[in-house]
C-alpha cells in the first residue's frame, strides 16, 4: 500500500532513468516508455478503485511524522488525476511511436515525457506546500525540454515565452511558500488547513495564500495572466502540445482547488474575485478563439476558456459546484488532449494548420471526422457527451446559488465554443482541399495516432453515457475536499518511527 | 419497454444504412425503411391505450444525483407527434431513395436521417425534461449534418452553421429555463412539473424561466425575430427540407409550447409573448413568402408563417384555441410535406426551382400538377380541404381575442395573414403550372417515377380525406392530443365543414377575394415590395458574427499581442494588485521583535548590494558587465549567509554562483554582447512602476516576517538530527533525510535540465544553426595566448587537491557544513577549470565519462536508497545509520543517507559537466578557430621532444 502511494512518481521516474541509460537504443527506449505509461495508467486505475472504496492512502516519507516530514496523500481527487495523467501519457507515448522527422527527437520525446509525468503526478499526490513547488519544477523542466523538441526558429521563440513566463510563476510560488512557512510555521497542507479553518491564520499567511493562488492562476492560464499559453502551445510537436493541453493548466487548476477548498471552505471574498475571474476567463478565451485562424491556436484559446468553467465551480464553493469542477477537470483533460492530437493529425494530412489551406478530410478520412466530432461536441457541451454534464452541473450550481449571470456566461461561452468547433469542422473537414484531393496525405504511420485518438474518444463517450458513476465519484471527491478529514488525520496520526 | 424501443430503434438502426449501402441503394433504403416501419408499428400497438386516455410510461435511473432519469411517456400529444415523425419519415425515406443521385453518399444520408428521427421521437416521448434537453440538442446536431449534407455547396455549409448557431443558442437558453423550472417544481419529471401549475406561476422565477424556455422554442420553430435561419437551411436536399422543415424539427418548438401549456400558459406574460410573436411571424413571413422566387424559399417562409399561426393559437391560452392549434399541426404537416416533395419533383424533373423560369407545366406533369393544386389549395385554406377547417377555427378564435384591450387588432392581422397565404399559395399553382408552355426549361419536364410521386400522393389523399370527413379521420386523435395539451377536460367540439355564417367564414371570404386580387396585380405589388427595404437576415447574421470576430480580434490583440513584456506586465501587475488588495483587506499590527544593531560589517555589504542592484539596472544592456554585477550580488548574499551563521547556505551560494556564472559566460560567447534599446519611455515608466511597487511589496513582506517570532519546525529538527538522523549538521540531515523527497525532486530537475540543454543544443548543431555557426566570426578579439602556460600548470596541480577537498566536503557533510550538493559543485568547478585552462578539445579527450549515464546513475542511486527502505517495509526514504570501528581509522559512522548523498553528488557533477560539454561542442563547431589537441598553445614538452627546434 505504501509503495502504491509513491508509485505515481516512481514509475515515470524509473522509466525516465532507464530511458536515459538506454539512450543509444531507440526502439528499446520507445518500448520502455510505452510500458512505463501503461504501468502508470494501471496504478492510477488501482488508486481510483481504492479511493472509490473510501481508502485514503497517506504516507509519511522517511517515517518522519507530520508536519516534520513530507506527507504523500492520495484522496479521490488525487487518484482520479493520477489515473487520467497515466491515460494521457499513454496516448502520447502511443502517438510517439510514429516515425517522422529526426529519430533523436522521437527518442528524446519518450525520455522527457516521463520527466513531465513524474512532475505532474508528484504535484497530484503531495500533501506538502514546498514539495508541491518541487514537483512544479520537475514538470516545468520536463515541459521545457519537450516544448523545444525539434528546434527551429518559431518553436524556440515560443519556448522562450513559455520558459520566461512560467519561471516567473514559479518564482511567485516560491516566494509564497517561504511566506507560508515563515508566517504559520508549517508547510503541511493539512496543518495549514487546520490553522486557516480555526481562524488563526496571521494576515501574512492570507497574503501568502493569495500570492500562491496568483502563481497557480498563471499556471492555470486564467484571465488576465493567460498570455503564455496561446503564445506557445501551437509551436510544439503534436503529442507534446496534446500532453500540455491535457495536463499542464490542469495542474494549476488542481492546485487551486486543493488550496482554496482547504483554507477557505466557505464562500467569501476570495471566491467572489475568483468568480469574476472565471467569467472573464471563459469569455476572453472563447472570444480569443474566434479571432484565430489556425487549428491549434483556436484550440489553445479554448483551453483558457474551459479552465474558466472549472474555476467557476471552485468559486461557487457549494458541494455541487466543486463536484462539477472535479467532473469538468476529468472530462476536459481527455477531450482537450484528444482535440490537439486530432488537430495535429489533420494538419499532417492536409499539410497546413491554417484553416484556409486545409480541407477535404471528410471525404478522404471520414473516421477522423467522426473522431473529431466527438471531443469537439463534448467541448461545446452537447449531450449526451461528457462536456454536457460538466457544464450542466456548473450551470445548475450557479443558478442554485443565484448567480444567474455566471450561468449566462457559461451558456454563452458554450454557444461560442460550438460555433468555433463548427468553423473547424466546415473548414477542415467539409470544404474541399484548396489544392485538390491529391494534396491530402494518408500514410500508414498514422496508425499509432489513430489508436490514441480512438481510445480517448471512446473515453469521452463512456464518461458521457456512464456519467452517473463518474458524477457520484466527483460528488464524493467534493465531499472529501469540503471536509478533508484525511488531511487532518495525516497530522494527528503518529506516523513517526 | 417497447416505448423505449421506439426511441432507440432509429439510433440502433442508424448503423444499418452505413453497412447496407454496400449491398446497393435499394437494399439500403429498404433497411432504413424497415427500421422506421418497425418503430411505427410499435407505436401503433400503443394507440388503443392512448386513445382510451391512458398515459404509457417506462423508465430507468441514469444520473439520480442530478435528477436525470431515462423516463419515457406516451400520451395523446406524444402519439400525434411520434406518428407524424415516423409516418412522414417513412415516406421521406422512400422519396429520398429516388431523389438522391448516384453520386450522393446515400448511406451517410440515411444514417443522419435515422439519428435525427430518433432524436425527434426522443423529444416527444421524454418524461424527464433533462432527457428532453438531451434529445433537443441532438436534433440540432443531426440537422446540422443533414443541412450541410451537400458539402460541396458553400451555402449548405453556411446555412447549416447558421441553423446550428441559432437553434444551439436557443437550446442553451432552454437548458437554463428548464433548470429554473425544475428548481421551482422540485423535480425534473414532466409528470410532476405538469401538476404544479400554481406553484410555478406564483414563483418570482416564472418569468425568467418562461422567457428562457420560449427562447428555445422560438428559435427552433423559427418564430420572429429568429425566423431568419430557416430559409437558409433550404440549401439542404429537398427530402431534408420536407422532413425537417415541414413536419418535424421546426415543430419541436411548437411541441414544447404545447407540452408546457398546462403550466406556463394562461398568464398575461404568456399571452403577450407567445401570441404576439406568433401573430407577427404569421403576417411577416406570409408577406415575404409572396415574393420568393425559389419554390423552396416560398415554402420555407410559408412554413414560418404557419408555425406562427399555431404559436399564436397556443398563445391565446384558451382550450378551444389549443384544439385548433393541434388540428392545424396535423393539417400543416400533411399539406406542407406534400408540397415540399412536390417542389423537389419540379426541381428534379425540370432542373430548376426558380418560379420565374417555370410555368405551363400543367400538361407536361399532370400528376405533379394535380397534387400541387390540392395541397396548395389546402394551404390557402380552400373549403373541402383540411387546411380550411383549421384555418376557420383559427379565425374564429382570433375574432374573439382582444390584444391590449383592442378587439380589432388580432382579427384584422389574422385576416391579413390569411390574405397573403391565399396569394402565395395560388402563386405556387398559377406561376408554376399555368400560363404558356415554355421551351427553355433546363431539362425536359415529365412526371417522375412512382417512387417520387407516391409518397406525396398519400399525404394529398390525407389532405382530402380529413377535409371531407374530419371527425372520422382526425377527430379522435385531435381530441386525445388536445386533451394532453390542455391537461384537463377538452371542450366539447365537433369537427365539421360547415359552421354556418360565422365571422370566421366572412374573414375567409375576404382573405380569398383580396388574396386572389393581390395575385392578379402581382407585378404591381411586387414593384411596391421592391421599393421597400429588404433587411437581409443572412447579411445581418454575418455582420453580427463578423463584428464579434472583429471585437475579439481587437480585444485579443490588446491583451495578447505576442509581446513577452506585455505578458510579464500583466502577470506582475496581477500579483501586485492582488497582493496589495489582500494586504489592505486585513488588519495588521507591527511586528514585536527587536531589530538587530547595524554595524560596519552589515552596512558595507548592504551598500554594495544596493549599489550593484542599481548598477545592474543601469548597465543591463552590456551583458558581460551585467553578469559580473549579478555575480557580485550573489557573493554579497553569501556573505550575508555567513554573517547570519548559515555556513551551508553560504557554501552552496558561492559554488552555485561560480558554476553558473562560468556557464553563462560560455553561453554569452555565442550571443550578442549588448541588448538593443527597444522600449519606449512610456513602457519603461510602466515597467519601473511595476518593478518598484512589486519590490516594495516583497520588501515589506520580508520585513513583516523578520520582525515577528513564529513557531518553526526547527526545534524538532535540532533535537532529532543526531539521535534519529545520525548527523549533527541539521541542514544536511534535512536535505537528505527529513525532507529527502524534496532533494530527490530537485536532483531530477537538475538532471533533466542538463539533458534538455544537451538535446536542445544537439538538435541545433545539426540544422541551420550549425551552418551559421560555421560561418560565424567571434565579435570580440580572440586572445593570442588562449591557453596560458601558467594557468594550465596551476590547474593541473590544483585538480587533485580540489578533488580531495570535494571528497572531504562530501564526507563531513553529515556532521559539518558540506554535503553531496556542495561537493558536487566543487568538483565540477575544478573540472571546468581544466576545460578553461587547457581547452575544450584536449580536456574532452581526457574525460571519457558518459555524463548522461552519470546523471542517470546519480538519480538511480538516490532512488534505490529510498526504495531499499520500502523493500524492508518502511516508508520510502526511511534512513538508518550505525557506528563501526576499523583499525587506524577509528570509529566512524555509516548512514543510509550517504548513498543518497552520493546520488546527489553524481547528478550535480553530471549535470554541470554535460551542460559544459555541450557548450564546448558548440565552440568546436566554429570553423575558423583551430581545435587544440594539446593542452597548451606552446608546449615545452613538445619542444624537448623535437630536439630544441622551434616549431
Amino acid at each position: 500500500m505504501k509503495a502504491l502511494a509513491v508509485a505515481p512518481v516512481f514509475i515515470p521516474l524509473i522509466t525516465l532513468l532507464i530511458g536515459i541509460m538506454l539512450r543509444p537504443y531507440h526502439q528499446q527506449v520507445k518500448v520502455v516508455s510505452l510500458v512505463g505509461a501503461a504501468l502508470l495508467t494501471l496504478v492510477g486505475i488501482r488508486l481510483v478503485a481504492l479511493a472509490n472504496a473510501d481508502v485514503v492512502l497517506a504516507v509519511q516519507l522517511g517515517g518522519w511524522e507530520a508536519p516534520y516530514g513530507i506527507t504523500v496523500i492520495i484522496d479521490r481527487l488525487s487518484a482520479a488525476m493520477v489515473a487520467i495523467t497515466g491515460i494521457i501519457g499513454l496516448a502520447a507515448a502511443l502517438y510517439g511511436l510514429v516515425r517522422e522527422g529526426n529519430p533523436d527527437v522521437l527518442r528524446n520525446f519518450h525520455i522527457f515525457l516521463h520527466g513531465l509525468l513524474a512532475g505532474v503526478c508528484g504535484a497530484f499526490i503531495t500533501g506538502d506546500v514546498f514539495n508541491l513547488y518541487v514537483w512544479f519544477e520537475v514538470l516545468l523542466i520536463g515541459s521545457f525540454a519537450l516544448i523545444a523538441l525539434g528546434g527551429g526558429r518559431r518553436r524556440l521563440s515560443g519556448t522562450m515565452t513559455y520558459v520566461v513566463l512560467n519561471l516567473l510563476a514559479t518564482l511567485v510560488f516560491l516566494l509564497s511558500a517561504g511566506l507560508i512557512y515563515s508566517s504559520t510555521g508549517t508547510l503541511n497542507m493539512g496543518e495549514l488547513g487546520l490553522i486557516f479553518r480555526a481562524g488563526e491564520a496571521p494576515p501574512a499567511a492570507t497574503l501568502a495564500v493569495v500570492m500562491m493562488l496568483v502563481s497557480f492562476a498563471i499556471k492555470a492560464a486564467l484571465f488576465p495572466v493567460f498570455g503564455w499559453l496561446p503564445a506557445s502551445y501551437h509551436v510544439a510537436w503534436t503529442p507534446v502540445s496534446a500532453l500540455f493541453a491535457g495536463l499542464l493548466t490542469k495542474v494549476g487548476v488542481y492546485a487551486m482547488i486543493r488550496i482554496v477548498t482547504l483554507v477557505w471552505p466557505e464562500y467569501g471574498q476570495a471566491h467572489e474575485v475568483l468568480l469574476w475571474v472565471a467569467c472573464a476567463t471563459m469569455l476572453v478565451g472563447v472570444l480569443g478563439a474566434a479571432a484565430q485562424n489556425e487549428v491549434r491556436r483556436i484550440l489553445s484559446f479554448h483551453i483558457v476558456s474551459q479552465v474558466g468553467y472549472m474555476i467557476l465551480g471552485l468559486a461557487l464553493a457549494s458541494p455541487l459546484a466543486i463536484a462539477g469542477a472535479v467532473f469538468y477537470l476529468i472530462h476536459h483533460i481527455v477531450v482537450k488532449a484528444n482535440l490537439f492530437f486530432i488537430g495535429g493529425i489533420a494538419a499532417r494530412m492536409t499539410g497546413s494548420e491554417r484553416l484556409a489551406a486545409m480541407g477535404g478530410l471528410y471525404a478522404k478520412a471520414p473516421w477522423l471526422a467522426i473522431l473529431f466530432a466527438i471531443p469537439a461536441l463534448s467541448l461545446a457541451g452537447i449531450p449526451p457527451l461528457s462536456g454536457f454534464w460538466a457544464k450542466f452541473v456548473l450551470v445548475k450550481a450557479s443558478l442554485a446559488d443565484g448567480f444567474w449571470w455566471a450561468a449566462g456566461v457559461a451558456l454563452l461561452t458554450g454557444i461560442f465554443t460550438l460555433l468555433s468547433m463548427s468553423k473547424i469542422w466546415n473548414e477542415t473537414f467539409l470544404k474541399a482541399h484548396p489544392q485538390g484531393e491529391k494534396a491530402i496525405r494518408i500514410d500508414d504511420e498514422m496508425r499509432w495516432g489513430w489508436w490514441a485518438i480512438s481510445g480517448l474518444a471512446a473515453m469521452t463517450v463512456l464518461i458521457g453515457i456512464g456519467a452517473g458513476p463518474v458524477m457520484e465519484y466527483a460528488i464524493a471527491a467534493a465531499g472529501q475536499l469540503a471536509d478533508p478529514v484525511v488531511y487532518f488525520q495525516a497530522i494527528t496520526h503518529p506516523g513517526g518511527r | 419497454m417497447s416505448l423505449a424501443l421506439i426511441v432507440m430503434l432509429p439510433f440502433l438502426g442508424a448503423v444499418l444504412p452505413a453497412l447496407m449501402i454496400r449491398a446497393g441503394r435499394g437494399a439500403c433504403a429498404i433497411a432504413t425503411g424497415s427500421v422506421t416501419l418497425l418503430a411505427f408499428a410499435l407505436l401503433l400497438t400503443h394507440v388503443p391505450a392512448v386513445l382510451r386516455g391512458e398515459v404509457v410510461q417506462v423508465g430507468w435511473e441514469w444520473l439520480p444525483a442530478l435528477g436525470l432519469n431515462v423516463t419515457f411517456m406516451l400520451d395523446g400529444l406524444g402519439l400525434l407527434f411520434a406518428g407524424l415523425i415516423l409516418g412522414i419519415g417513412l415516406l421521406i425515406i422512400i422519396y429520398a431513395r429516388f431523389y438522391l443521385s448516384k453520386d450522393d453518399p446515400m448511406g451517410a444520408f440515411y444514417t443522419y436521417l435515422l439519428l435525427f428521427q430518433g432524436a425527434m421521437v426522443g423529444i416527444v416521448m421524454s418524461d424527464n425534461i433533462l432527457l428532453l434537453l438531451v434529445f433537443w440538442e441532438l436534433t440540432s446536431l443531426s440537422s446540422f449534418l443533414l443541412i450541410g449534407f451537400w458539402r460541396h455547396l458553400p451555402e449548405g455549409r453556411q446555412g447549416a452553421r447558421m441553423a446550428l448557431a441559432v437553434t444551439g443558442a436557443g437550446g442553451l437558453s432552454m437548458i437554463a429555463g428548464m433548470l429554473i423550472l425544475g428548481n421551482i417544481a422540485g423535480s425534473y419529471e414532466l409528470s410532476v412539473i405538469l401538476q404544479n401549475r400554481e406553484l410555478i406561476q406564483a414563483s418570482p422565477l416564472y418569468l425568467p424561466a418562461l422567457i428562457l424556455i420560449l427562447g428555445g422554442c422560438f428559435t427552433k420553430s423559427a418564430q420572429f425575430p429568429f425566423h431568419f435561419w430557416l430559409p437558409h437551411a433550404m440549401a439542404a436536399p429537398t427530402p431534408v427540407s420536407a422532413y425537417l422543415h415541414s413536419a418535424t424539427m421546426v415543430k419541436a418548438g411548437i411541441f414544447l409550447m404545447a407540452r408546457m401549456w398546462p403550466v406556463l400558459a394562461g398568464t398575461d406574460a404568456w399571452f403577450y409573448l407567445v401570441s404576439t410573436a406568433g401573430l407577427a411571424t404569421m403576417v411577416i413571413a406570409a408577406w415575404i413568402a409572396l415574393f420568393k422566387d425559389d419554390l423552396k424559399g416560398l415554402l420555407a417562409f410559408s412554413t414560418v408563417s404557419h408555425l406562427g399561426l399555431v404559436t399564436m393559437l397556443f398563445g391565446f391560452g384558451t382550450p378551444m384555441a389549443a384544439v385548433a392549434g393541434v388540428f392545424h399541426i396535423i393539417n400543416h404537416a400533411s399539406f406542407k410535406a406534400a408540397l415540399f416533395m412536390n417542389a423537389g419533383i419540379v426541381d428534379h424533373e425540370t432542373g430548376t426551382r426558380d418560379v420565374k423560369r417555370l410555368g405551363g407545366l400543367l400538361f407536361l406533369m399532370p400528376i405533379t400538377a394535380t397534387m400541387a393544386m390540392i395541397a396548395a389549395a389546402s394551404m390557402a385554406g380552400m373549403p373541402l380541404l383540411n387546411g380550411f377547417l383549421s384555418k376557420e377555427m383559427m379565425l374564429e378564435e382570433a375574432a374573439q381575442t382582444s390584444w391590449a384591450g383592442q378587439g380589432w387588432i388580432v382579427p384584422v392581422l389574422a385576416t391579413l395573414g390569411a390574405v397573403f397565404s391565399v396569394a402565395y399559395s395560388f402563386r405556387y399553382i398559377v406561376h408554376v403550372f399555368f400560363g404558356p408552355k415554355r421551351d427553355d426549361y433546363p431539362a425536359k419536364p415529365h412526371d417522375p417515377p412512382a417512387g417520387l410521386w407516391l409518397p406525396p400522393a398519400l399525404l394529398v389523399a390525407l389532405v382530402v380525406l380529413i377535409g371531407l370527413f374530419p371527425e372520422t379521420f382526425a377527430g379522435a386523435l385531435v381530441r386525445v392530443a388536445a386533451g394532453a395539451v390542455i391537461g384537463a377536460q377538452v371542450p366539447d367540439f365537433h369537427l365539421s365543414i360547415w359552421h354556418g355564417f360565422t365571422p370566421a367564414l366572412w374573414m375567409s371570404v375576404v382573405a380569398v377575394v383580396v388574396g386572389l386580387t393581390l395575385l392578379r396585380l402581382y407585378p404591381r405589388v411586387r414593384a411596391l415590395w421592391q421599393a421597400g427595404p429588404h433587411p437581409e437576415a443572412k447579411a445581418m447574421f454575418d455582420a453580427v458574427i463578423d463584428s464579434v470576430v472583429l471585437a475579439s480580434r481587437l480585444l485579443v490583440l490588446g491583451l495578447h499581442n505576442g509581446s513577452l513584456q506585455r505578458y510579464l506586465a500583466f502577470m506582475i501587475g496581477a500579483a501586485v494588485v492582488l497582493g496589495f488588495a489582500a494586504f489592505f483587506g486585513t488588519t495588521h499590527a507591527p511586528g514585536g521583535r527587536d531589530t538587530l544593531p547595524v554595524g560596519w560589517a552589515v552596512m558595507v555589504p548592504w551598500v554594495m548590494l544596493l549599489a550593484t542592484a542599481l548598477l545592474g539596472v543601469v548597465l543591463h544592456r552590456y551583458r558581460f558587465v551585467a553578469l559580473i554585477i549579478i555575480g557580485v550580488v550573489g557573493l554579497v548574499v553569501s556573505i550575508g549567509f555567513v554573517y547570519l551563521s548559515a555556513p551551508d547556505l553560504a557554501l552552496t551560494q558561492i559554488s552555485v554562483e561560480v558554476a553558473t556564472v562560468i556557464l553563462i559566460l560560455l553561453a554569452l560567447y555565442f550571443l550578442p554582447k549588448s541588448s538593443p534599446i527597444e522600449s519606449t519611455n512610456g513602457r519603461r515608466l510602466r515597467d519601473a512602476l511595476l518593478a518598484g511597487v512589486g519590490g516594495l511589496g516583497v520588501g515589506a513582506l520580508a520585513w513583516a516576517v523578520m520582525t515577528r517570532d513564529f513557531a518553526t519546525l526547527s526545534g524538532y529538527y535540532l533535537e532529532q538530527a543526531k539521535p534519529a538522523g545520525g548527523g549533527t549538521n541539521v541542514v544536511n540531515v534535512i536535505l537528505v533525510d527529513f525532507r529527502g523527497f524534496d532533494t530527490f525532486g530537485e536532483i531530477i530537475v537538475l538532471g533533466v535540465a542538463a539533458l534538455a540543454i544537451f538535446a536542445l543544443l544537439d538538435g541545433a548543431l545539426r540544422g541551420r544553426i550549425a551552418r551559421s555557426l560555421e560561418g560565424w566570426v567571434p565579435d570580440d578579439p580572440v586572445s593570442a595566448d588562449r591557453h596560458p602556460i601558467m594557468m594550465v600548470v596551476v590547474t593541473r596541480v590544483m585538480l587533485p587537491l580540489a578533488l580531495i577537498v570535494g571528497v572531504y566536503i562530501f564526507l563531513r557533510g553529515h556532521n559539518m557544513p558540506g554535503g553531496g550538493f556542495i561537493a558536487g559543485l566543487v568538483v565540477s568547478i575544478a573540472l571546468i577549470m581544466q576545460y578553461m585552462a587547457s581547452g575544450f578539445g584536449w580536456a574532452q579527450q581526457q574525460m571519457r565519462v558518459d555524463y548522461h549515464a552519470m546523471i542517470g546513475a546519480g538519480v538511480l542511486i538516490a532512488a534505490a536508497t529510498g526504495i531499499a527502505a520500502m523493500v524492508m517495509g518502511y516508508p520510502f526514504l526511511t534512513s538508518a545509520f550505525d557506528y563501526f570501528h576499523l583499525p587506524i581509522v577509528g570509529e566512524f559512522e555509516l548512514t543510509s543517507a550517504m548513498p543518497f548523498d552520493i546520488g546527489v553528488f553524481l547528478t550535480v557533477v553530471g549535470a554541470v559537466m554535460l551542460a559544459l560539454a555541450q557548450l564546448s561542442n558548440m565552440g568546436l563547431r566554429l570553423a575558423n578557430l583551430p581545435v587544440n589537441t594539446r593542452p597548451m598553445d606552446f608546449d615545452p614538452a613538445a619542444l624537448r621532444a623535437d630536439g630544441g627546434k622551434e616549431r
Side-chain angles (χ1 to χ4, degrees), chain B residues 391-642:
Chain B
K391 198 174 72 172
E392 285 296 283
M393 289 167 80
M394 180 275 285
L395 291 172
E396 181 74 40
E397 291 304 311
Q400 295 167 13
T401 307
S402 77
W403 195 89
Q406 304 295 315
W408 56 273
I409 293 183
V410 178
V412 166
L413 286 178
T415 312
L416 193 63
V419 167
F420 297 143
S421 174
V422 168
Y424 68 68
S425 300
F426 279 97
R427 179 162 179 248
Y428 188 97
I429 299 173
V430 175
H431 287 189
V432 174
F433 296 100
F434 287 85
K437 273 188 208 169
R438 308 168 62 140
D439 43 17
D440 59 347
Y441 304 116
K444 193 172 156 37
H446 53 80
D447 267 324
L452 277 184
W453 66 256
L454 212 53
L458 281 173
L459 291 170
V460 169
L462 210 59
V463 166
V464 178
L465 287 175
I466 296 179
L468 292 176
F469 314 104
E471 198 56 42
T472 321
F473 283 93
L477 188 60
V478 170
R479 246 177 216 97
V480 69
V485 174
I486 299 163
Q489 193 58 41
V490 183
D492 194 32
F493 67 90
H494 187 76
L495 300 177
S496 61
I497 303 173
W498 182 248
H499 287 278
F501 291 100
T502 55
L505 187 68
W506 295 118
M507 287 155 86
S508 262
V509 171
V510 170
V512 173
V513 172
V514 179
L516 289 176
T517 318
L518 273 184
L519 190 62
R520 215 181 147 64
L521 304 173
Y522 188 72
R524 255 184 270 173
V525 179
R526 179 131 184 156
L528 192 73
W529 177 74
Q530 292 285 11
H534 306 104
E536 182 52 50
K538 182 169 178 341
M540 283 196 267
F541 177 81
D542 287 346
V544 169
I545 295 282
D546 287 347
S547 58
V548 167
V549 170
L550 187 71
S552 41
R553 197 160 278 159
L554 287 177
L555 174 84
V556 170
L557 286 185
L559 288 172
H560 188 83
N561 61 352
S563 152
L564 186 57
Q565 282 79 358
R566 180 163 298 192
Y567 304 150
L568 276 173
F570 268 112
M571 289 179 188
I572 297 176
V576 165
V577 167
L578 283 173
F580 276 88
F583 177 78
F584 289 116
T586 45
T587 50
H588 309 270
R593 199 191 223 180
D594 290 335
T595 48
L596 297 173
V598 178
W600 282 111
V602 177
M603 206 57 193
V604 171
W606 187 71
V607 170
M608 271 177 73
L609 198 62
L610 281 185
T612 44
L614 279 175
L615 265 179
V617 173
V618 176
L619 297 175
H620 74 276
R621 293 191 195 291
Y622 310 101
R623 294 180 175 177
F624 274 123
V625 182
L627 187 61
I628 291 164
I629 291 171
I630 292 170
V632 175
V633 172
L635 286 179
V636 175
V637 169
S638 57
I639 292 173
F641 285 139
V642 172

Side-chain angles (χ1 to χ4, degrees), chain A residues 98-249:
Chain A
V98 68
R99 272 192 306 249
E100 67 176 36
N102 183 343
D104 278 357
V105 169
L106 283 178
R107 187 263 330 267
N108 287 346
F109 167 74
H110 282 282
I111 293 179
F112 292 129
L113 164 69
H114 291 275
L116 180 80
L117 293 180
V120 171
C121 287
F124 290 148
I125 63 172
T126 186
D128 185 281
V129 174
F130 185 78
N131 197 238
L132 180 65
Y133 167 78
V134 170
W135 295 116
F136 265 79
E137 272 200 65
V138 174
L139 80 87
L140 206 55
I141 204 80
S143 67
F144 291 166
L146 284 171
I147 193 172
L149 272 185
R153 180 186 287 265
R154 189 172 109 103
R155 192 166 282 160
L156 288 183
S157 99
T159 304
M160 183 69 191
T161 312
Y162 177 83
V163 169
V164 171
L165 297 175
N166 271 289
L167 276 181
L168 177 76
T170 311
L171 195 67
V172 175
F173 186 12
L174 183 61
L175 180 75
S176 60
L179 200 54
I180 285 270
Y181 177 66
S182 51
S183 56
T184 62
T186 187
L187 287 167
N188 184 294
M189 290 185 192
E191 193 174 22
L192 200 64
L194 276 185
I195 293 172
F196 268 87
R197 286 177 177 218
E200 290 163 2
T206 307
L207 223 158
V209 171
V210 169
M211 296 315 279
M212 199 183 285
L213 291 179
V214 169
S215 82
F216 294 160
I218 298 176
K219 298 272 173 200
L222 296 184
F223 176 84
V225 289
F226 61 85
W228 63 272
L229 192 153
S232 61
Y233 271 21
H234 60 279
V235 303
W237 187 41
T238 297
V240 173
S241 63
L243 202 62
F244 284 19
L247 295 177
L248 287 195
T249 47

Side-chain angles (χ1 to χ4, degrees), chain A residues 62 64 68 128 131 362 389 465, chain B residues 62 112 717 737 739 742 876:
Chain A
W64 302 104
Y68 307 107
D128 185 281
N131 197 238
Y362 184 89
W389 306 118
I465 293 175
Chain B
W62 186 3
Y112 300 160
Y717 290 145
D737 203 339
R739 296 190 67 94
D742 287 343
F876 174 67

Side-chain angles (χ1 to χ4, degrees), chain A residues 403-415:
Chain A
F403 294 110
W404 52 269
W405 49 274
V409 170
L411 289 170
L412 194 66
T413 306
I415 187 69

Side-chain angles (χ1 to χ4, degrees), chain B residues 113-171:
Chain B
L113 198 75
L114 282 180
L115 287 178
F116 174 78
Q117 195 175 62
M120 278 308 299
V121 177
I123 289 183
V124 301
M125 283 172 45
S126 294
D127 188 12
N128 185 293
I129 52 176
L130 299 185
L131 187 67
L132 191 148
L133 287 175
V134 170
F135 288 119
W136 186 276
E137 294 289 336
L138 282 180
T139 59
S140 296
L141 273 186
S142 43
S143 68
F144 175 76
L145 291 172
L146 282 170
I147 297 171
F149 178 71
W150 277 334
R151 55 176 186 272
H152 51 274
L153 299 177
E155 316 83 273
R157 296 200 297 268
Q158 286 154 12
R161 189 153 176 244
M162 194 197 283
L164 184 68
V166 177
T167 58

Side-chain angles (χ1 to χ4, degrees), chain A residues 26 37 45 47-48 124 127 134 185 205 250 260 289 359 444 448 453 458 478 493:
Chain A
H26 288 204
I45 292 168
L47 288 174
V48 167
F124 290 148
V134 170
K250 266 50 91 187
V260 171
D444 197 36
W448 302 111
I453 58 177
H493 176 70

